[in-house]
Amino acid sequence: MDATIQAKVDQWRNGNYDADTKASIEELIKNNPTELTDSFYRSLEFGTGGLRGIMGVGSNRMNKYTVGMATQGFSNYLKASFPNTEIKVAIAHDSRNNSRFFAETTANVFAANGIKVYLFEALRPTPELSFSIRHLGCQGGVVCTASHNPKEYNGYKAYWNDGGQLVPPHDKNVIKEVEKIASVDEVKWSGGEANITLIGAEMDAAYRKMVKSLSVYPDVIARQKDLKIVYTPIHGTGIKLVPDVLADFGFTNVTIVQEQSEPNGNFPTVNYPNPEEADAMALGLEKAKEIDADILLGTDPDADRVGIGVKDSNGNWVLMNGNQTAVLAFNYMIEARKAKGLAQPNDMVVKTIVTTELIDEIARRNNISCYNVLTGFKWIAELIKEKEGKENYVIGGEESYGLMIGPQLRDKDAVSAVALLCEMAAYEKDKGRSLYQKLIDLYVQYGFFKEHLISITKKGMDGQQQIAAMMEGYRSNPPKTINGSAVVQLLDYELQQGKNLQTGEEWKIELPKSNVLQFILADGSKISARPSGTEPKIKFYFSVSTQLPDSAAFAAKEAELDTKIKGIISDMKL
């Protein structure tokens, strides 16, 4: 075994760790050396979503000690960043196994460091944590969740005083503070219990009031209050707020998928508790068909992602992808605000660089600024902060099923998104149409954009090296053509450089560094390669487009675009 890894293992075997932890390490040494290496070969790092990892013993696992050390480092950084201030943090957690334990561990360490802690009394959606940081005037916050990851995972999302997740320099600085802690003996584990205040119902009421204020057409809901809604929380936190928020909006005909209504960290009815997966939405789809619903909605365990299902033109149920849902939501907020006289000349919308360019086109034609940021809602939050007082944020979103409506919180929010998507369905129904028909009409009006995503998983230390080698190959030797179309631009977000491969012209990309590459083809197609910051995966995003003359041509044009995407994947040997 590598000497560095061995030293870490020995530190845990001989240090001030509990007996169960030490026994688990001995078991790994004896019976599973590969797992032992993976558990200790590195320390968990803040990626795009803070700490996230498999639960277990070791420096590369989510456990009491990695959570405690992260919290001690975060405490030290907060105290250095806000001297002579009473520092306050808010803490929430989802329905995962150990989430309550990790939240209480986090609360105890903050409190032992003299920090005032507002700890939610029980599980709550992540967006409510973001809202509560702003509402309570906190300097930071934490939610213990691994979002949509498999049940073996848990995580720790760290937030700053704006209610957004940590961005540079804070994320790296917190890591530096964590790395300064040489031993778990330096963590203040207990002694500040008086600094912890439990919160719950009052914060729920304030958050619900904020969500209700986002409604644009309450008069339409009053007419369509019996819209048939099916909702599944997929064993997560959405059950705490989504039904209440739908009632606040005025909807009276909501069916909850009972098999998935109870919070449960084992997610017994699904392989992955992720509304991006058809499998996770299958029970909801069954119920929607059974009662002939108007719309199906599902949220992930921490209720920051939402997936929807609607009926197509032939009455068949289809699950919309994140890009399609975002297009409908962005367009609705732009159109509805105009129609209601709420639009401001300085309105802006924000999306990520891998989210559909149909949104850019809709914004351009409506004379609204559309900004593109790196993947992750923390960058949307950062841009809002940067533009505050100069531009008016309306909506932000990303292809991975995330939406954030209005500026009163700073992370993606599936709770408010569910309410607004139901309002949108009611608005279309009031006109005798469906959301699906609205989407096709937008394709006719603005152009038909189709996106596809594939994720390639490479586990462990070897997997990381393979992903790094793949990115280096694309970076140093980009393809000249893909699927018969010339690669005209290479955008390298790590080097912050764009290059026209035909003319040699280069320009600076004005975004923070990120390990993302994009190929822009002569035919307008766009391919993005991005290793995940939180999972052992590399993701490839494909975007192709064409004109749609009318809705009757949709099936033929969609087949054309599907063929093009398959050709790109085949040519890239993915």
Side-chain angles (χ1 to χ4, degrees):
M1 184 185 282
D2 177 273
T4 313
I5 300 172
Q6 185 66 58
K8 272 190 184 172
V9 172
D10 291 342
Q11 186 186 21
W12 281 59
R13 287 170 84 189
N14 304 320
N16 199 7
Y17 295 79
D18 65 87
D20 286 349
T21 294
K22 290 183 178 182
S24 297
I25 293 169
E26 296 306 325
E27 178 71 19
L28 290 177
I29 291 169
K30 201 168 152 187
N31 296 320
N32 200 338
T34 306
E35 176 66 15
L36 180 76
T37 299
D38 202 50
S39 299
F40 284 94
Y41 84 91
R42 62 172 186 170
S43 295
L44 280 183
E45 293 175 6
F46 278 93
T48 53
L51 281 178
R52 196 178 295 182
I54 294 167
M55 290 177 276
V57 298
S59 59
N60 189 33
R61 293 286 182 262
M62 282 292 297
N63 52 61
K64 171 186 174 179
Y65 301 104
T66 51
V67 166
M69 291 170 86
T71 307
Q72 185 63 54
F74 194 11
S75 298
N76 294 347
Y77 188 64
L78 283 166
K79 288 162 89 168
S81 300
F82 299 99
N84 310 315
T85 305
E86 184 197 34
I87 298 171
K88 300 181 286 186
V89 298
I91 300 171
H93 68 86
D94 71 0
S95 59
R96 285 177 177 273
N97 298 329
N98 294 316
S99 281
R100 183 70 193 176
F101 171 68
F102 291 148
E104 289 175 348
T105 300
T106 302
N108 287 333
V109 174
F110 276 132
N113 279 276
I115 291 170
K116 184 160 179 52
V117 177
Y118 295 101
L119 173 65
F120 276 97
E121 64 192 357
L123 75 173
R124 286 298 189 281
T126 286
E128 190 177 0
L129 183 274
S130 175
F131 173 83
S132 68
I133 290 168
R134 298 174 65 78
H135 190 75
L136 294 167
C138 294
Q139 281 69 37
V142 169
V143 60
C144 294
T145 175
S147 195
H148 57 285
N149 280 56
K151 64 183 180 184
E152 297 80 18
Y153 284 77
N154 214 316
Y156 176 108
K157 289 185 186 174
Y159 290 77
W160 203 240
N161 63 352
D162 65 332
Q165 289 181 48
L166 294 186
V167 294
H170 306 307
D171 54 356
K172 297 293 187 290
N173 288 346
V174 170
I175 283 292
K176 282 178 191 162
E177 290 296 332
V178 173
E179 286 172 350
K180 284 180 193 171
I181 300 163
S183 143
V184 289
D185 299 334
E186 294 175 40
V187 178
K188 294 173 183 170
W189 293 104
S190 60
E193 288 72 21
N195 291 325
I196 299 173
T197 303
L198 292 179
I199 58 172
E202 286 179 17
M203 194 56 58
D204 294 344
Y207 171 81
R208 283 168 60 183
K209 185 180 175 189
M210 179 278 290
V211 175
K212 180 73 171 73
S213 75
L214 299 174
S215 177
V216 189
Y217 279 109
D219 49 324
V220 172
I221 295 173
R223 289 196 294 275
Q224 298 292 341
K225 64 180 187 291
D226 63 345
L227 183 85
K228 275 193 198 171
I229 298 164
V230 172
Y231 168 66
T232 173
I234 315 180
H235 307 292
T237 58
I239 196 68
K240 279 281 182 189
L241 283 173
V242 170
D244 291 337
V245 161
L246 287 172
D248 293 343
F249 264 56
F251 292 109
T252 58
N253 192 358
V254 181
T255 300
I256 310 291
V257 178
Q258 287 307 316
E259 301 96 317
Q260 297 178 324
S261 63
E262 283 293 314
N264 186 332
N266 291 319
F267 311 115
T269 63
V270 298
N271 294 318
Y272 297 97
N274 184 356
E276 289 184 77
E277 303 277 345
D279 162 69
M281 299 288 278
L283 285 172
L285 215 43
E286 269 177 40
K287 180 56 74 176
K289 287 174 185 171
E290 181 193 316
I291 68 167
D292 192 29
D294 293 302
I295 186 168
L296 160 68
L297 308 105
T299 54
D300 68 341
D302 68 326
D304 64 355
R305 292 179 176 216
V306 60
I308 68 169
V310 294
K311 281 183 279 191
D312 69 13
S313 307
N314 301 315
N316 298 316
W317 278 89
V318 291
L319 294 173
M320 292 208 165
N321 65 38
N323 281 306
Q324 292 169 323
T325 306
V327 163
L328 287 166
F330 275 68
N331 182 76
Y332 179 75
M333 294 306 291
I334 291 168
E335 273 189 2
R337 284 169 59 79
K338 264 190 179 175
K340 281 275 189 164
L342 301 171
Q344 309 284 322
N346 64 342
D347 278 354
M348 69 166 185
V349 299
V350 192
K351 60 181 269 290
T352 67
I353 56 173
V354 294
T355 300
T356 181
E357 292 183 10
L358 177 49
I359 289 170
D360 301 78
E361 187 62 16
I362 292 169
R364 186 180 68 78
R365 293 220 220 149
N366 284 279
N367 298 313
I368 285 176
S369 296
C370 179
Y371 294 97
N372 281 268
V373 297
L374 295 175
T375 306
F377 261 74
K378 61 184 185 180
W379 301 114
I380 295 177
E382 185 72 354
L383 188 83
I384 297 171
K385 188 160 64 173
E386 191 187 306
K387 301 283 182 184
E388 217 154 14
K390 295 174 276 191
E391 295 184 47
N392 179 52
Y393 172 83
V394 175
I395 185 170
E398 63 183 6
E399 47 64 50
S400 58
Y401 290 57
L403 292 166
M404 186 175 96
I405 304 155
Q408 296 179 74
L409 75 174
R410 298 294 160 86
D411 206 352
K412 53 183 179 279
D413 181 0
V415 180
S416 61
V418 165
L420 263 295
L421 287 161
C422 289
E423 178 172 303
M424 288 154 56
Y427 180 80
E428 293 304 328
K429 192 175 183 183
D430 206 46
K431 293 173 155 185
R433 299 150 40 90
S434 71
L435 279 178
Y436 185 87
Q437 287 166 311
K438 177 64 177 179
L439 182 66
I440 305 298
D441 286 352
L442 292 175
Y443 289 152
V444 173
Q445 188 177 354
Y446 294 107
F448 184 9
F449 288 73
K450 177 135 193 179
E451 291 79 26
H452 184 65
L453 166 69
I454 59 174
S455 289
I456 298 169
T457 300
K458 305 269 189 186
K459 289 191 173 173
M461 192 161 50
D462 287 351
Q464 272 208 323
Q465 289 164 353
Q466 286 173 46
I467 288 170
M470 199 182 279
M471 288 298 285
E472 183 47 41
Y474 285 130
R475 188 166 270 126
S476 57
N477 190 22
K480 303 279 189 293
T481 64
I482 297 176
N483 194 35
S485 183
V487 179
V488 292
Q489 285 182 25
L490 173 65
L491 306 179
D492 189 331
Y493 293 85
E494 182 71 27
L495 300 178
Q496 298 172 299
Q497 182 186 72
K499 184 171 185 180
N500 185 315
L501 298 180
Q502 296 181 323
T503 66
E505 179 201 354
E506 294 185 358
W507 59 92
K508 183 170 168 49
I509 293 173
E510 299 292 343
L511 288 173
K513 285 186 177 191
S514 182
N515 191 13
V516 181
L517 288 171
Q518 290 185 321
F519 304 108
I520 314 294
L521 309 190
D523 66 5
S525 302
K526 181 167 85 172
I527 300 110
S528 309
R530 172 183 165 261
S532 169
T534 55
E535 301 168 81
K537 288 179 176 176
I538 180 166
K539 297 181 179 181
F540 290 90
Y541 305 78
F542 308 93
S543 174
V544 295
S545 60
T546 188
Q547 291 306 306
L548 185 62
D550 53 48
S551 56
F554 175 73
K557 289 290 184 182
E558 184 174 45
E560 258 177 51
L561 294 182
D562 283 338
T563 301
K564 186 177 270 193
I565 289 169
K566 281 179 188 154
I568 291 169
I569 293 169
S570 170
D571 194 30
M572 292 181 74
K573 297 181 173 57
L574 296 172

